[in-house]
Amino acid sequence: MIVYLNGQYLPENEALISPNDRGFVFGDGVYEVTRVVRGKSFRMDDHMERLRGSLRGLHLHLPPETLAAIPALHEELVARNNLQDSDTTVYLQITRGAAPVRTHFFPSSEVAPTIFMSASLFVPARESLRRGVNAISVPDVRWQRCNLKTVNLLPNVLARQQAREAGADTALMHRDGVYTETPNANIFAVIDGVIRTYPLSNYILQGVTRNALMEFIAARGLPVREFAIGMDELFAASEVFVASTMSEVQAITEVDGKPIGDGRPGPVTRMLLADLHAAMGLA
Amino acid sequence: MIVYLNGQYLPENEALISPNDRGFVFGDGVYEVTRVVRGKSFRMDDHMERLRGSLRGLHLHLPPETLAAIPALHEELVARNNLQDSDTTVYLQITRGAAPVRTHFFPSSEVAPTIFMSASLFVPARESLRRGVNAISVPDVRWQRCNLKTVNLLPNVLARQQAREAGADTALMHRDGVYTETPNANIFAVIDGVIRTYPLSNYILQGVTRNALMEFIAARGLPVREFAIGMDELFAASEVFVASTMSEVQAITEVDGKPIGDGRPGPVTRMLLADLHAAMGLA
């Protein structure tokens, strides 16, 4: 596999960074994961807008021309891996670079940011999408800037691992009595016929797939309300699903051992998954 | 400078890691910073106990013999840098290693943890210790496992940078109306003649210097109470100081532009700094 590191395309095993990189010592960086279907990036404008927001949140300044080049780098990297006819994801990480001295405060502007990208074949979870998956509820112990897509992902790592050890596929994280996100996706539910999801705030990431679904929902004229799903409401839902680049539109059919609705992916979930695939040209 | 990386001693510029290291992509790792004075580690048992706690919190399992070797590696690294007659700090970071595939959940047990160590000359902040420094108050937006010493340090980085941009030396972070920590130190205050500091909990790190000070305070029979300092109490304090390996016992003489006490390091602060230096053999 060929990866991109600071202006160079390299075999993966030759791409190396310093352990002084602030991404390594502080998690001082941001990332994006973008779907590139048959060489064409999906909703790249959304990814770039969120990336700019994350960089702004970290006060991490890139030259405008560096930022402007990023969309083309995605497609170039896919092509260099001969994946231009495949369904792929591209991982992009930008950190504040390797500083000679470890200080919490920012290094001098001479320290160049690190830019790393890799491409992988996207393997759809067909069976999970068809049958639904189970989840557990776990407290959301993340920091209070969850709208920034940073690599400070330890709470996400631990929640996902906890789910796995409990025999579940993912974790519905809750804070202050309501569901916020899974470790890597936005949460939706259909309650009393209304599609509900956590409103945009500092407590959730603005998912690119979430954006897409909100457009599909509007286009279909379905009732929707950006209002958090209470822990006491979850089992009143006829459908629960999660949305992200990696999860697509994934039905959650069981939570903490109890079924959601009839225990199968519901009609809204299936409709939105079909809309997503159609928008990607995968219909 | 010679650093230690996964069993090897290398010149710093030859020590390289994969950008797939989970320390880089998730901040999935822990660290310690230990003072080594004239070749002798200060309170290494405390550091090792905290390290074991952090590793346990991350479910990151190291072979017992690997853990047992860590204290000796500190002194060996100092010696290899010809710093055995100097006052130094050793930085140690352990991550869950470089996994071939990026998944939030843990990789297979075949993925070896990454162990990185570097040594630096410790330069005491004599002038700051003598005069005191100023601080600003900022919200503590960290996650809810602040007792684990992990490299998910972005909130600390941003708070310290915010302080610097405000012309301050550090930031007193507050949560729920009380002061918790600075980005790299525990906070103490003397209020009505009683030394106060945040109790041990998931909201603060158990500082090794904090441990030492609590022993000095007990040995001197000074009144002390592990009870958080309210935001409304701070300016009633006759002294405020912070304690950490890097800060030693540092007086905070001004917060948000207003003086603490008479605006100079107080007697308790100076006494505890002298006790710390004495315990390190620096008296």
Side-chain angles (χ1 to χ4, degrees), chain A residues 12 17 20 24 93 141 143, chain B residues 12 17 20 24 93 141 143:
Chain A
E12 186 176 25
I17 58 170
N20 292 327
F24 188 69
Q93 180 170 338
V141 299
W143 72 331
Chain B
E12 186 176 24
I17 58 170
N20 292 327
F24 188 70
Q93 180 170 338
V141 299
W143 73 329

